[in-house]
């Protein structure tokens, strides 16, 4: 019973229709948006149709590469934003005032009670230095004062000087730019990052200040430095959100267009050579027409594309039905043919996204599909499948007749040369014949379109790859 159901599924007419429908639908989804304009619009080619006149006013859009490059350049000009937090300054100054008032009394009490246990903000060694000054100030040499009160006053001055200078919450090496934007309230200003301190330079700054104002006693300066660092926190805070918002704003300010084409203005004249500017106009016009038609217009266009692909596939379906009944009755074989056609179609779609002037269309591996169809089935199926796949690929490129013929020639030779394959060397011979097919086509159409020798050599290189 299970085997019978499998056979019914394998021969099911509904499943055949579903495979064909999904295949056509996927192909239509990969068609370019917009009006179907002559797609062989490569820089240097000749426009062989009648004058192309704009039916609507539209913007000339920059190429994707240029647009992305300009956005990246705009983003690179945005400086990292640091927000100045004055609350940190006021809080630190209040704390240092409070401790300055308490420390002399705390030291006196410790001396009277013979205690030398340091407060939580001091190491034992630094606290003992303060106690020693309090007990026997004459034992310290190289200091300009023997008063603890005077020492803590200088410590407060250091804290104030650090905040006047400004301290970053990132090291200078972590900041990639030489300048930064400092935001204070609603105002922003640009400064060199080297004007500010960071956690690596603040110790050196404190040491220099203490040596100048307090003296050169190393033990005392280290103790005061430890005391000062207890109160200092960075007051210039890097704002990732603000910086990212500034980068986004800079990118958004980059204009997408480089000009406007007015309604009834000529885009390109018959027999004009396609330049970069003309190509941009044609590509922009295609997009503009696609946006102009609206939902029902797009629906009608996609329905037309669906019929278009169905008409291309119909002769192949009829051939399979009339002359290859074994294939027609086996849904697995039909699915395999559909997958191969979709594969070459998807490859074409990916290559179509490349916005380069090189002949990358030769990277479409249509002859490989021809070889696979011939090896799996026979040369006739391989050749007919090649014609159908070439027509579909040409349709993707805006009904590109030249590209279709080139692939039919190369794919036909591929199918012919592997029809009786017996060893690996025949595969390499087939590749040679494919290259011959492309070479003849490139020369024929290149001479017809007055292409230069360099253009044809470039096409040979991509075909050989």
């Amino acid at each position: 019973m299970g085997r019978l159901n499998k056979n019914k599924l394998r021969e099911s007419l509904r499943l055949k229709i579903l495979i064909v429908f999904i295949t056509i639908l996927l192909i239509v989804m990969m068609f370019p948006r917009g009006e179907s304009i002559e797609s062989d619009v490569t820089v240097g080619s000749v426009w062989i149709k009648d004058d192309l006149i704009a039916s609507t006013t539209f913007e000339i859009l920059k190429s994707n590469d240029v647009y992305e490059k300009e956005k990246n350049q705009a983003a690179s000009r945005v400086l990292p934003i640091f927000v100045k937090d004055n609350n940190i300054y006021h809080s630190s100054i209040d704390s240092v005032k409070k401790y300055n008032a308490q420390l002399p009394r705390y030291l006196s009490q410790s001396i009277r009670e013979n205690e030398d246990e340091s407060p939580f903000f001091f190491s034992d060694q630094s606290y003992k230095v303060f106690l020693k000054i309090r007990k026997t100030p004459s034992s310290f040499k190289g200091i300009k004062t023997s008063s603890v009160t005077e020492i803590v006053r200088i410590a407060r001055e250091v804290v104030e000087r650090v905040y006047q200078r400004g301290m970053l919450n990132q090291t200078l090496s972590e900041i990639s730019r030489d300048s930064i934007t400092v935001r204070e309230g609603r105002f922003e200003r640009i400064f060199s990052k080297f004007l500010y301190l960071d956690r690596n330079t603040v110790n050196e700054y404190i040491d220099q200040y203490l040596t100048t104002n307090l003296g050169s006693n190393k033990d005392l300066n280290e103790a005061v430095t430890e005391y000062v660092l207890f109160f200092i926190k960075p007051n210039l805070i890097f704002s990732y959100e603000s910086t990212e918002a500034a980068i986004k704003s800079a990118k958004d300010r980059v204009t997408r267009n480089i000009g406007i084409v007015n309604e009834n203005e000529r885009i390109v004249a018959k027999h004009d050579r396609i330049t970069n500017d003309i190509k941009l106009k044609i590509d922009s016009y295609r997009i503009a027409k696609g946006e102009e038609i609206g939902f029902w217009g797009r629906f009608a266009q996609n329905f037309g594309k669906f019929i278009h692909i169905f008409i291309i596939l119909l002769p192949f379906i009829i051939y399979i039905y009339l002359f290859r009944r074994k294939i027609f009755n086996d849904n697995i074989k039909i699915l395999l043919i559909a997958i191969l056609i979709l594969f070459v179609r998807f490859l074409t779609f990916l290559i179509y996204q490349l916005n380069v002037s090189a002949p990358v269309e030769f990277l479409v591996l249509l002859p490989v599909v021809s070889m696979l169809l011939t090896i799996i089935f026979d040369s006739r199926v391989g050749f007919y499948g090649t014609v159908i796949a070439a027509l579909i690929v040409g349709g993707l490129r805006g009904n590109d007749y030249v590209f279709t013929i080139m692939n039919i020639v190369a794919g036909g030779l591929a199918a012919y040369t592997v029809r009786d394959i017996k060893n690996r060397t025949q595969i390499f011979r087939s590749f040679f014949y494919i290259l011959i097919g492309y070479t003849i086509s490139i020369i024929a159409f290149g001479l017809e379109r007055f292409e230069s020798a360099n253009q044809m050599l470039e096409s040979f290189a991509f075909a050989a790859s």
Side-chain angles (χ1 to χ4, degrees):
M1 189 70 177
R3 188 174 181 180
L4 185 62
N5 288 334
K6 286 183 180 179
N7 288 334
K8 284 185 178 180
L9 187 64
R10 195 162 185 168
E11 299 175 2
S12 169
L13 180 60
R14 290 183 179 179
L15 187 56
K16 289 178 177 58
I17 295 172
L18 182 63
I19 292 172
V20 173
F21 178 81
I22 292 175
T23 300
I24 296 174
L25 188 64
L26 290 174
I27 292 173
V28 169
M29 289 173 63
M30 288 184 277
F31 261 85
R33 285 185 58 198
E35 187 181 31
S36 181
I37 300 173
E38 171 69 40
S39 74
D40 191 20
V41 186
T42 55
V43 175
S45 63
V46 176
W47 183 264
I48 59 175
K49 287 191 172 186
D50 293 334
D51 293 3
L52 182 61
I53 308 298
S55 62
T56 183
T57 299
F58 64 93
E59 296 178 337
I60 305 171
L61 304 178
K62 299 172 185 174
S63 67
N64 290 332
D65 289 343
V66 171
Y67 184 53
E68 288 301 322
K69 183 179 179 181
E70 289 184 359
K71 287 202 298 182
N72 290 334
Q73 287 175 343
S76 68
R77 289 192 290 269
V78 175
L79 300 174
I81 297 175
F82 285 79
V83 178
K84 190 171 185 180
D85 190 342
N86 289 320
N87 291 329
I88 293 176
Y89 164 74
H90 294 302
S91 175
S92 296
I93 294 300
D94 289 343
S95 295
V96 76
K97 286 179 181 178
K98 175 183 175 182
Y99 281 96
N100 280 0
Q102 293 177 353
L103 185 60
R105 294 195 300 270
Y106 192 92
L107 291 170
S108 299
Q109 182 180 356
S110 296
I111 292 171
R112 288 195 303 270
E113 297 176 0
N114 294 320
E115 294 180 359
D116 58 1
E117 183 180 349
S118 64
F120 68 90
F121 54 87
F122 260 150
S123 67
D124 290 342
Q125 182 178 356
S126 297
Y127 187 60
K128 286 176 181 179
V129 171
F130 275 85
L131 282 173
K132 194 172 183 181
I133 292 174
R134 192 72 170 175
K135 290 178 181 178
T136 55
S138 59
S139 63
F140 276 80
K141 297 181 180 180
I143 65 171
K144 297 181 179 181
T145 178
S146 60
S147 169
V148 172
T149 303
E150 182 66 14
I151 291 172
V152 294
R153 184 192 65 78
I154 293 173
R156 174 187 166 183
E157 286 182 2
V158 176
V159 174
E160 290 178 341
R161 290 297 182 93
V162 167
Y163 282 116
Q164 286 174 6
R165 179 85 174 263
M167 183 176 175
L168 305 166
N169 72 329
Q170 290 188 340
T171 63
L172 297 178
S173 60
E174 289 174 338
I175 303 171
S176 58
R177 306 293 297 277
D178 288 339
S179 298
I180 62 172
T181 298
V182 177
R183 178 180 294 174
E184 187 173 4
R186 294 178 297 174
F187 301 98
E188 289 185 354
R189 293 180 181 178
I190 297 173
F191 299 99
S192 170
K193 69 179 181 181
F194 300 105
L195 292 175
Y196 301 100
L197 300 170
D198 66 357
R199 58 177 174 267
N200 294 330
T201 59
V202 69
N203 284 11
E204 182 181 349
Y205 178 80
I206 293 171
D207 184 65
Q208 289 177 353
Y209 188 87
L210 293 179
T211 301
T212 302
N213 294 273
L214 193 58
S216 57
N217 188 282
K218 182 180 177 181
D219 292 337
L220 177 60
N221 287 356
E222 287 180 355
V224 177
T225 298
E226 183 181 327
Y227 181 67
V228 167
L229 290 176
F230 174 75
F231 303 103
I232 293 177
K233 296 179 182 178
N235 65 325
L236 293 169
I237 312 301
F238 173 68
S239 176
Y240 176 82
E241 293 77 11
S242 298
T243 304
E244 287 299 308
I247 290 173
K248 183 178 183 303
S249 177
K251 287 182 175 181
D252 292 342
R253 286 196 297 269
V254 177
T255 57
R256 187 69 176 89
N257 68 80
I258 55 174
I260 292 177
V261 173
N262 294 313
E263 185 178 356
N264 297 323
E265 183 179 338
R266 184 170 63 188
I267 300 171
V268 58
K270 188 174 183 179
H271 303 309
D272 275 358
R273 190 168 293 278
I274 302 297
T275 63
N276 284 314
D277 291 339
I278 291 176
K279 185 178 186 306
L280 284 179
K281 289 180 181 180
I282 293 173
D283 292 343
S284 300
Y285 184 51
R286 180 188 290 115
I287 294 171
K289 290 294 290 182
E291 293 174 349
E292 181 190 58
I293 58 178
F295 171 78
W296 290 109
R298 285 193 294 273
F299 176 81
Q301 186 184 51
N302 288 327
F303 183 70
K305 290 175 182 177
F306 188 93
I307 301 300
H308 175 188
I309 300 302
F310 177 72
I311 291 171
I312 292 174
L313 288 174
L314 187 59
F316 192 43
I317 295 171
I318 293 173
Y319 169 76
I320 296 290
Y321 176 74
L322 293 178
F323 302 107
R324 292 292 186 272
R325 295 291 293 187
K326 287 185 179 180
I327 298 175
F328 182 82
N329 291 330
D330 192 338
N331 288 333
I332 293 178
K333 293 179 179 179
I334 292 175
L335 180 62
L336 180 59
I337 294 172
I339 289 172
L340 289 174
I341 292 174
L342 284 172
F343 167 72
V344 72
R345 180 66 183 78
F346 182 66
L347 254 182
T348 309
F349 170 76
L350 292 179
I351 292 171
Y352 191 85
Q353 308 305 308
L354 300 176
N355 189 16
V356 295
S357 58
V360 291
E361 63 270 14
F362 289 103
L363 299 178
V364 176
L365 304 178
L366 194 144
V368 174
V369 173
S370 306
M371 294 167 66
L372 290 173
L373 286 172
T374 302
I375 293 170
I376 296 171
F377 302 106
D378 55 55
S379 59
R380 290 185 180 182
V381 173
F383 178 73
Y384 289 138
T386 298
V387 174
I388 296 304
L391 288 170
I392 292 173
V393 168
L396 169 63
R397 291 180 52 81
N399 305 323
D400 189 348
Y401 171 79
V402 171
F403 187 63
T404 298
I405 295 299
M406 285 184 175
N407 278 291
I408 288 176
V409 172
L413 287 172
Y416 172 77
T417 53
V418 296
R419 69 190 189 283
D420 296 317
I421 189 168
K422 295 178 181 178
N423 52 59
R424 295 179 182 177
T425 58
Q426 286 181 273
I427 295 290
F428 296 104
R429 187 185 69 176
S430 180
F431 290 153
F432 176 72
Y433 278 105
I434 291 170
L435 184 58
I436 289 176
Y438 274 133
T439 301
I440 294 172
S441 301
I442 289 168
I443 293 173
F445 290 110
L447 293 173
E448 181 182 342
R449 295 186 292 187
F450 300 102
E451 289 184 352
S452 66
N454 288 335
Q455 286 177 303
M456 286 191 281
L457 284 173
E458 189 177 17
S459 296
F460 291 149
F462 275 88
S465 64

